[in-house]
Amino acid sequence: KTNMTMATSGPSPGASYFSTIHGGSPSADGGGPSSPLYAATSAALNVPPPPFSDEESKIDNNQQHSDVHNNSSALNSTPYLQSRLIQLRTQSQDLSTELTKKLATSRSGQSLLHIGPSLSTLPPDLTSLLEALSPLLSQVEQYEGENRGELERLVSQGREVQCAVKKREFSVQCAEIYAELMGAEEVLRWRLLQQSGDKSSGGKNKKSEEGRRGGYENVLEDEDEEDDWSEDETEEEFDHICSLERAAYTTLYLLQELHSSSADVSAMTTTPKKRATQSDGDDNDVSNNNNNNIATNGSNNLPSLSDFSSNDNSSLNGVVLEKSRFLAKLAPRIRRLESDTAKCLVSTLEELLVRVRTLMEDDHDANEEGQGGSDNTTVYDNNKQQRKSQHDDLLLMIGHCLRGLALLGKGADAESAFARVAIMPIIRSKLSMGKLDEGGSRGECAGLFFLLDGIANTISTMYGSILRSSESMFTNETGNGSKSSSSCWRMEVDLVTCGVWVPVATALMADPGIKMAIFSPGIANVLQANYSALDTFLSELASSLLLLQSPQEEVTQDEEEKTSIESGNFSHLYYRPTIQADAIERAQTRLYAHPTTVEFSKRWNLPIYYQLRFAEFCKRLDKAIEGVCREGWTADVFTGDAKDGKKISDTFGYELPFFFELYDILLSMWKPDVYLRPLTHRFLRGAMQLIGRVLAFVKDGADGKIQFGGTEESEGETDLPETSVTIPAYSWNERVEDVAVVAWELTILETCLTHDYLDYVANTVCPNDKESRQSTHNSSLELEEIRSLASEVLVECSQEFSPLVSNSWYTLIVDRLTKQCCIPLTAVKGVAATYRMTNRPPPTQASPFVASILRPLKEFDTTFSSRTPPQIGDEWKQQIIGAVSSKYSIAVEDLIATVKRTEEALKSRKTRKMMAGGMSDGEKVKLQLLLDYRQYKKDVEELGLESDNIEGLVKLNQLTSEAESLLPK
């Protein structure tokens, strides 16, 4: 019954799968969870065995104990077995579904899933099926082999066609290359014959020349053809020079083809090595995959025209090698063509430059002669117009030569030719020791500025148009119009820098006499003038050479254009470059960045110049200090211009000549005839050193280490002025007037350093006007940084003044005035003697000495109230009055104590009272002290101080308050 129920219920998907393979149910054939097939499959797929449920465990336990217990018959009943069968079917379906999922997620499991259904369709006898299919399979293999052979034949023929096409392309290219080479050689041959001026000799030596050059064949035509070609001489010259530029283009093309062919051959020879290296590095990987891929690659990889192996490339490589061998045979001729083209372009450029110089000299001579008269005006104008047309033609031809040399990478040759042919004759005609010293004595180089200016003007007049044309042709800019990082100093042809500045600088540095006179004169003024002249020349060189035409010249040019159109001359339509300010700035940047400029700058012995100048400044300052030590602070030691001294006094308020001299020295360091921009840091440091020298001198005097006057003339001292008067020796720190004046001068100097002097230095180093800023070749940010650094240095230096000024007022002046004010206090003791047993009437006014106590302070305050530093204020007076009041109160206290002791001694005696006022002598003394105190307090308040804040005055008030009852009511 159980078997019938299982047969009718139908298997699950997993069960049907196993039943299909094994021909039975999972439970019967071991397909269930406990079967061997399921265990093996689960172990292969890492499927854990299903756990037993609690009911199954109970069933097993019941089965194990069925023989022991008496209720075993109930467990084997039909309802129980049916429920058990349903549970097993459900569990089998779940496990089959899980197994199917596991198989579907693995490659081996998928193969099993595909094999399973196919096995059910196989016939029972596989051997008969294989025998029936064998003939069909052999026919298919034969057909596939025939097709593969045909495909290989077609691919082979296709590759042969490809090689033939590539060979034809290379042949055409080689033919074009050879034709271009022959054409360029023909152009050069004709140009060389034209320059030699002997065409017949060139014809006679034609064969030998062809043998020497190896390719100059059929380069000359018959003389009749030559005469026809040169009908118009100007057009012929234009054609030849344009052909030279074309030859440069051809040479560049041939060189590129030669380099490309060499690169291809190198690539073919290096590729197998790279492959071998890669295969050696991948041996392990290949060995692991060989067994799996050999059959597949052998059966599936079909030959194709798009796939080339090393063996298949042999034919194409042969074609490439044929081209490379052809170009290798032409390589000597190509290299010789490059050399000859460059030489021909250089010689043509030199010839054209000579013609330009001759034409400009003729034009200069014609301008000096003038029109001569009304009859010659027309002839003069025609000649001038003709020279203008010739100059334009020459300029156009020079442009072709420069571009041709630039194409060949021979810009240095063009620059050298321009410097040798155009610039050096001008330099040799103008540069000499006689012209260098013209307008001055020997060795002063008084004519250097005019000599350099004349050289620049001559070059601009004769070759300015060439320089502008070259600058316009070879200036590189980025797409947005801004200067690129390298275009400022790298150009293919830079005539301004290498053609003009380099020969000028070389000429100045090459001649020993001129070099010694300019760079090492040994005189500070001469060295400064030479440096300024050359620095100005260099800073303005680009603008003077590339400057645009003046408006008057443009008007004249417009009139000449109208005349040219009427006469049939269209040379005015040639390109004329317009040089903008940014182009001039770039050219100037290249001038400063060139190595020759760096070397030229190193020739200057600027540290020696600074030492000479600083020695002059120190000598002036030392003489001023000596004069002050000899005659005092009021000594007239100012050696500068009287106008400068008056300006210093009126503008800044200096009073002492010594500080006139100091400030004039500080200003003279930054004058145009003294200051040099590369020595900015040295001059700034020198100014700080001079100020430090003055501060040390003032400090030593304040400390009493230096005495003024009383200087005895030594044996070797003979430079004292005749009007000098010897004064007794004294220490100026003991004179409050000198201390106050010096402190005030130091205050003014401190203010000037952080304001006026800072502005003066900043405007010299970082000028505000646009023209001066261009000569500094610094950006705005750099100039602001320089100004900030100078400000920091001067502000830091000015901080040393405040302690010295404070010490002068709070120590020196306070001590000296306190001593002077305390001198009258000795009269306080005499008040008792005035009224003791003198029978004088009681006092009605203060003692005479009281008014003299603060008199020195009042007089000093009146004199120097307007010259007291703002940071000092009234504290110094507070200190003086406090010290004086303290001593005054002590004297009064001692006097009152003495009076009290006297009164106590006289009480035992029968002394009658004085009839005058009815006061005793002690009372009169106390009243007098009260009146003196009130007068002293009034004097203190007149000085602008509050008496309540002074401790000595408060004590005086307490001591004299007892006598207030004695005042008359």
Side-chain angles (χ1 to χ4, degrees), residues 170 360 378 401 512 612 621 932:
F170 285 171
M360 297 304 298
T378 305
C401 293
L612 295 174
L621 183 60
D932 294 345

Side-chain angles (χ1 to χ4, degrees), residues 351-522:
E351 178 186 349
L352 294 174
L353 290 174
V354 171
R355 291 169 61 183
V356 170
R357 182 178 62 195
T358 304
L359 184 64
M360 297 304 298
E361 290 175 352
D362 295 341
D363 187 67
H364 177 69
D365 295 339
N367 290 333
E368 288 184 350
E369 294 177 0
Q371 287 85 355
S374 59
D375 296 338
N376 297 329
T377 303
T378 305
V379 177
Y380 174 79
D381 294 340
N382 291 336
N383 292 336
K384 183 177 181 181
Q385 184 64 28
Q386 184 179 2
R387 288 192 297 271
K388 181 69 170 58
S389 176
Q390 294 176 0
H391 182 271
D392 293 340
D393 294 341
L394 292 174
L395 181 62
L396 185 62
M397 290 185 283
I398 288 173
H400 287 297
C401 293
L402 293 177
R403 285 192 296 271
L405 290 171
L407 286 171
L408 297 177
K410 303 294 183 180
D413 295 344
E415 297 163 355
S416 177
F418 183 80
R420 182 175 61 256
V421 177
I423 305 303
M424 288 307 299
I426 298 176
I427 295 175
R428 285 192 292 266
S429 64
K430 292 183 176 295
L431 185 60
S432 64
M433 287 299 301
K435 293 184 179 181
L436 190 64
D437 294 328
E438 186 176 359
S441 59
R442 184 71 173 176
E444 290 185 357
C445 299
L448 178 61
F449 180 83
F450 300 100
L451 185 148
L452 296 174
D453 189 60
I455 291 176
N457 290 334
T458 303
I459 295 174
S460 177
T461 302
M462 298 183 67
Y463 304 105
S465 57
I466 299 176
L467 294 172
R468 286 190 289 270
S469 177
S470 172
E471 189 71 22
S472 177
M473 279 192 294
F474 300 108
T475 297
N476 297 323
E477 293 187 359
T478 58
N480 56 2
S482 61
K483 295 182 292 183
S484 62
S485 59
S486 61
S487 64
C488 291
W489 57 86
R490 293 181 183 177
M491 289 181 61
E492 295 172 328
V493 179
D494 188 2
L495 296 183
V496 174
T497 302
C498 301
V500 177
W501 165 240
V502 171
V504 171
T506 304
L508 294 175
M509 293 186 293
D511 189 274
I514 294 177
K515 181 177 67 174
M516 181 64 67
I518 293 177
F519 296 101
S520 302

